[in-house]
């Protein structure tokens, strides 16, 4: 059995590494900034995220989201955790066996980890990301596949998305939004979904909240950690207010990755 002291030290080490490995560390902001993260506007957050994922963040996360990309043990763990979340979504889709020919909006598609498997299943996918570099890589990957329906890729933030889709997916994106903004964003995504919304987020629990606070004590040089945790009841409340009810839920938790997954359907 692991002693409480060792467990505590491992937890501290975990968040130090998460602060380094997460996609939510931005080098673009001046290290001398004294502005509280809680007071930073969503617009500024968006600029930071966009700059990060178009530059050094793209290189790091493109490796993590590539099967053959060279990664360290922490990044491998995150890769495995993210893939588990994607596989759980695909498991739901395959169990329903009704995605072929349906329209899907994959908001925050990254390099296409979910959009491309959905396209191979015959879905008509509109995939977007705030990062042009990510979208370009997703399109490149799609070009190497024999797809009957190639996804439509676009560079866009979540707020600018419009249209109507059978299914809307948003995986591991809400970590960029404070809870007060997350609720509005969930409702916006729900307004695009005619039938189903699948969303994942980092859950706010006392344990994960403690680890995040510890991790913020150890940001890397010139980095500002931007990782927002969300209470599950706040996410569910936003879904219900948008006219949706939960159908299925999952949780993925590895050493360095944790994500709560919800599938909600229109009432």
């Amino acid at each position: 059995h692991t002693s409480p002291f060792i467990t505590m030290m491992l937890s501290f080490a975990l968040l130090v590494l998460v602060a380094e490995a997460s996609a939510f560390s931005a080098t673009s902001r001046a290290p001398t900034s004294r502005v509280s993260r809680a007071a930073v506007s969503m617009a500024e957050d968006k600029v930071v995220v966009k700059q990060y994922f178009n530059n050094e963040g793209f290189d790091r996360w493109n490796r993590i989201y590539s099967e053959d990309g060279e990664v360290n043990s922490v990044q491998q763990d995150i890769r495995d955790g993210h893939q588990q979340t994607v596989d759980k979504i695909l498991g739901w889709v395959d169990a329903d066996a009704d995605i072929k020919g349906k329209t899907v909006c994959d908001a925050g598609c990254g390099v296409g980890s979910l959009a491309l498997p959905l396209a191979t299943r015959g879905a008509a996918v509109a995939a977007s990301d705030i990062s042009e570099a990510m979208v370009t890589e997703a399109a490149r990957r799609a070009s190497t596949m024999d797809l009957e329906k190639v996804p439509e890729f676009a560079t866009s933030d979540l707020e600018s998305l419009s249209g109507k889709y059978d299914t809307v997916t948003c995986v591991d994106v809400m970590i960029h939004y404070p809870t007060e903004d997350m609720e509005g964003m969930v409702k916006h995504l729900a307004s695009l979904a005619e039938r189903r919304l699948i969303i994942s987020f980092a859950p706010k629990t006392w344990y994960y909240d403690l680890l995040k606070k510890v991790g913020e004590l150890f940001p890397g040089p010139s980095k500002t950690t931007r990782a927002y945790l969300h209470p599950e009841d706040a996410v569910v409340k936003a879904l219900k207010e948008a006219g949706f009810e939960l159908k299925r839920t999952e949780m993925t938790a590895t050493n360095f990755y944790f994500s709560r997954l919800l599938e909600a359907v229109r009432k």
Side-chain angles (χ1 to χ4, degrees):
H1 297 288
T2 305
S3 72
F5 176 77
I6 292 177
T7 299
M8 180 183 71
M9 293 306 295
L10 287 174
S11 296
F12 272 64
L14 164 63
L15 258 294
V16 173
L17 289 168
V18 168
E20 169 61 27
S22 75
F24 324 113
S25 298
T27 60
S28 58
R29 294 196 64 196
T32 56
S33 173
R34 298 180 181 277
V35 180
S36 168
R37 281 190 295 274
V40 176
S41 70
M42 186 168 67
E44 289 175 315
D45 278 345
K46 190 170 13 180
V47 170
V48 169
V49 171
K50 185 175 182 178
Q51 290 177 342
Y52 175 76
F53 280 106
N54 275 324
N55 294 284
E56 73 279 2
F58 168 74
D59 294 332
R60 176 180 298 170
W61 289 90
N62 186 35
R63 288 198 309 273
I64 291 176
Y65 294 152
S66 301
E67 293 182 2
D68 55 354
E70 184 176 345
V71 293
N72 60 38
S73 59
V74 174
Q75 293 168 337
Q76 180 65 54
D77 185 87
I78 295 171
R79 174 191 287 175
D80 293 343
H82 179 76
Q83 187 59 50
Q84 286 178 33
T85 295
V86 170
D87 288 344
K88 288 169 182 175
I89 296 172
L90 295 176
W92 290 345
V93 169
D94 291 343
D96 293 343
D98 63 354
I99 200 66
K100 187 173 182 178
K102 299 291 179 59
T103 55
V104 176
C105 171
D106 187 23
C109 66
V111 296
S113 302
L114 178 60
L116 296 179
L118 289 175
T120 64
R121 288 162 168 78
V125 181
S128 60
D129 198 278
I130 195 172
S131 165
E132 182 178 0
M134 288 286 189
V135 170
T136 299
E137 173 60 17
R140 185 198 67 78
R141 295 187 184 194
S143 70
T144 67
M145 304 169 65
D146 184 19
L147 295 173
E148 181 179 345
K149 294 183 178 180
V150 179
E152 296 181 1
F153 294 102
T155 302
S156 174
D157 56 32
L158 267 59
E159 298 91 323
S160 301
L161 294 176
S162 61
K164 291 293 183 181
Y165 305 87
D166 175 81
T167 298
V168 174
T169 60
C170 187
V171 179
D172 295 348
V173 176
M174 288 300 159
I175 199 162
H176 299 299
Y177 291 86
T179 294
E180 60 268 23
D181 297 321
M182 175 278 299
E183 294 177 6
M185 196 51 53
V186 168
K187 293 178 181 179
H188 174 61
L189 293 173
S191 73
L192 308 177
E194 295 181 330
R195 181 172 65 99
R196 172 172 57 184
L197 173 60
I198 297 174
I199 188 169
S200 72
F201 58 95
K204 184 178 179 65
T205 66
W206 70 267
Y207 179 67
Y208 291 145
D209 200 36
L210 174 62
L211 292 183
K212 178 180 178 292
K213 290 181 185 301
V214 172
E216 288 174 349
L217 298 176
F218 302 94
S222 303
K223 291 182 180 178
T224 303
T225 301
R226 295 186 175 281
Y228 298 105
L229 311 183
H230 303 300
E232 183 171 347
D233 58 355
V235 180
V236 173
K237 178 175 180 287
L239 288 168
K240 288 183 177 179
E241 291 178 352
F244 283 72
E245 59 185 0
L246 292 184
K247 179 180 179 182
R248 289 176 284 209
T249 65
E250 276 283 1
M251 178 71 195
T252 302
T254 64
N255 291 326
F256 304 101
Y257 173 96
F258 45 95
S259 183
R260 183 65 165 159
L261 179 64
L262 307 179
E263 178 190 33
V265 293
R266 192 170 289 280
K267 296 178 182 178

